Amino acid sequence: MALNRAVLAYDEAVTDAVSQQLLINIVRAHHRQPIHFTGVSNIAATFNFQANAGATPSPGGLAGAVISPVFGGSVSESPTISIVPIEGEEFTKRLLTPFPQNKLTLLLRQRFDVDLLLRMMAQEVRLLGMEQHNGVYRNSPADEAGYEMFRRVVLHLSSIQDHNQLYAEPLALINTWNIPASAITADGFQALQKEFIVHYNPKDNTYTLRKHIAGPILITNYDPNILSDEERETLRQQVGDGNSSDIAFDIRAGHYAGEWPMSGVFRLRSFHSILGFLGKALGDELGYHVEKDPRTPSILNNENPDLTMEFVVADTPPPDADFSIRWNGRFYAVKTTGPLARWNRDAFQLLFLLFQMTVTDIPRVGVPSITIAK
């Protein structure tokens, strides 16, 4: 019983501490204060159980000795908690480095809403073949034209996801090489067959080597496996091999939501930039309502909120909040009431996961985690 209680209690305490640090760092970003995190590296909880029993004469007994039993016991807990600052060059680099595309697709496969993911994680979208604003649309309410186009593109992808027609897979590519047959020995030929598809060309006495490789991750409204080799190569040339923090998309006519065909690249943010973006929602750069494009099919209710994450700011602790923090005499909390409560909770859960993907391993003190002595 002591072990179960301790594990759950300490787990809840550590989770609450991380959650409050995330929220207070959003407030720090809003006030342009340094962002800093502290972690619990180790918890050593020692429990001592003592019991005793005896007998003593009854003070109010009749003639003759009457013995009364005496029982006693005690339980004590002595926790030792190690707290360390999360800092240093390695953590700072991870804090400032944009998220790689594979982390976004990992979250997509956990059924996170693509509109929530991109509104939080993407700083801009680059549409190919569009000249207006050089085809770059920033996810910032301060850039009205760019922000509204960004939101419409994301809503279009959200509609495709709502109807289970959204794919996010690596683009399967084939690399080809031609090698003179005279340059390959018998042993070398056997080694090549292990890694390549080898085809002999008798006309020019050469070997053609073909190898399947995983290209950049591509978000589509169709199964990428239907593409021909020529179409895959064309897409590769359009989006390039891609920066690891860029994720390409290709929405084609003839498939679901193909009434608005588009292709381009989302550029992802760093965790530090995400905190700054959310902090701006506490000031003048508030998000606002953006209606979907007329060519976009219907979207689910409550999947187009004005804000990526809505906060409550009050002079007293918000009574219905999951938790709150205090900064300069004011209380801040994530709004978890009303029709957008689920969206805001999902947004904060996403922020929590992104932090876990960013933070480095905290040094552990070489002591046992929980010790129970009897």
Side-chain angles (χ1 to χ4, degrees):
M1 293 175 60
L3 178 63
N4 291 339
R5 182 186 63 81
V7 170
L8 294 177
Y10 290 133
D11 179 77
E12 182 179 359
V14 172
T15 303
D16 287 348
V18 175
S19 299
Q20 292 183 33
Q21 283 189 78
L22 288 171
L23 183 54
I24 202 168
N25 275 304
I26 293 173
V27 178
R28 286 171 177 164
H30 166 63
H31 291 285
R32 289 176 169 78
Q33 296 294 317
I35 290 172
H36 190 267
F37 290 93
T38 300
V40 176
S41 66
N42 194 87
I43 299 175
T46 301
F47 295 86
N48 291 307
F49 295 84
Q50 295 181 353
N52 54 71
T56 184
S58 175
L62 300 175
V66 178
I67 303 300
S68 298
V70 176
F71 300 97
S74 64
V75 179
S76 64
E77 179 182 355
S78 178
T80 301
I81 301 174
S82 302
I83 301 174
V84 296
I86 306 175
E87 55 188 13
E89 182 179 0
E90 182 181 356
F91 174 66
T92 304
K93 285 182 177 179
R94 294 169 67 98
L95 196 66
L96 299 177
T97 300
F99 282 100
Q101 55 182 229
N102 60 350
K103 291 190 177 180
L104 184 140
T105 53
L106 174 64
L107 293 166
L108 266 179
R109 289 169 183 167
Q110 308 307 310
R111 300 301 300 170
F112 273 94
D113 294 331
V114 67
D115 45 347
L116 173 58
L117 283 170
L118 292 173
R119 286 180 64 174
M120 184 176 293
M121 296 181 67
Q123 66 179 3
E124 65 187 28
V125 60
R126 297 170 178 256
L127 295 179
L128 302 177
M130 298 190 66
E131 298 180 357
Q132 185 180 6
H133 295 290
N134 295 322
V136 179
Y137 301 90
R138 296 177 58 222
N139 179 19
S140 172
D143 178 7
E144 184 175 337
Y147 179 69
E148 293 181 3
M149 176 59 78
F150 178 92
R151 289 280 301 275
R152 291 190 183 102
V153 171
V154 169
L155 283 172
H156 198 71
L157 297 184
S158 176
S159 172
I160 299 172
Q161 184 190 45
D162 291 342
H163 291 81
N164 297 318
Q165 298 298 316
L166 193 72
Y167 296 81
E169 303 292 340
L171 183 62
L173 301 174
I174 299 178
N175 282 350
T176 305
W177 301 267
N178 289 320
I179 301 177
S182 59
I184 302 178
T185 64
D187 293 339
F189 183 82
Q190 292 181 354
L192 288 175
Q193 282 187 316
K194 295 179 180 179
E195 296 188 22
F196 303 92
I197 300 172
V198 182
H199 176 73
Y200 177 67
N201 306 306
K203 291 183 179 180
D204 54 4
N205 193 31
T206 62
Y207 284 107
T208 299
L209 308 182
R210 294 163 60 88
K211 184 175 182 178
H212 293 270
I213 62 170
I217 295 175
L218 190 66
I219 297 176
T220 62
N221 63 336
Y222 56 86
D223 186 349
N225 292 323
I226 67 174
L227 297 176
S228 65
D229 292 344
E230 292 74 15
E231 289 175 314
R232 297 172 198 270
E233 187 59 33
T234 300
L235 273 175
R236 180 185 191 176
Q237 293 175 3
Q238 287 180 350
V239 304
D241 290 332
N243 187 298
S244 63
S245 60
D246 292 348
I247 184 163
F249 61 94
D250 182 47
I251 306 302
R252 293 194 172 190
H255 303 276
Y256 186 81
E259 293 78 12
W260 187 13
M262 65 177 80
S263 60
V265 174
F266 288 101
R267 179 149 291 177
L268 302 183
R269 291 185 170 114
S270 66
F271 189 77
H272 187 275
S273 295
I274 290 175
L275 293 178
F277 169 74
L278 295 174
K280 291 178 181 178
L282 294 170
D284 299 330
E285 291 192 37
L286 288 172
Y288 54 88
H289 180 71
V290 176
E291 191 61 48
K292 69 180 182 66
D293 189 272
R295 295 163 290 184
T296 298
S298 61
I299 59 175
L300 298 179
N301 294 331
N302 299 329
E303 284 206 358
N304 187 23
D306 296 349
L307 300 176
T308 304
M309 188 188 301
E310 188 173 0
F311 301 97
V312 176
V313 184
D315 295 328
T316 57
D320 299 323
D322 293 343
F323 62 90
S324 63
I325 59 98
R326 185 177 181 180
W327 177 274
N328 289 340
R330 307 206 75 186
F331 291 88
Y332 297 81
V334 178
K335 187 174 183 180
T336 52
T337 58
L340 296 176
R342 185 192 69 84
W343 173 278
N344 289 326
R345 282 195 172 103
D346 286 348
F348 194 82
Q349 182 189 28
L350 173 60
L351 184 68
F352 190 99
L353 291 174
L354 292 175
F355 174 69
Q356 296 301 321
M357 291 179 176
T358 303
V359 67
T360 54
D361 292 336
I362 301 175
R364 305 291 177 182
V365 179
V367 296
S369 297
I370 296 179
T371 302
I372 299 179
K374 294 185 178 180

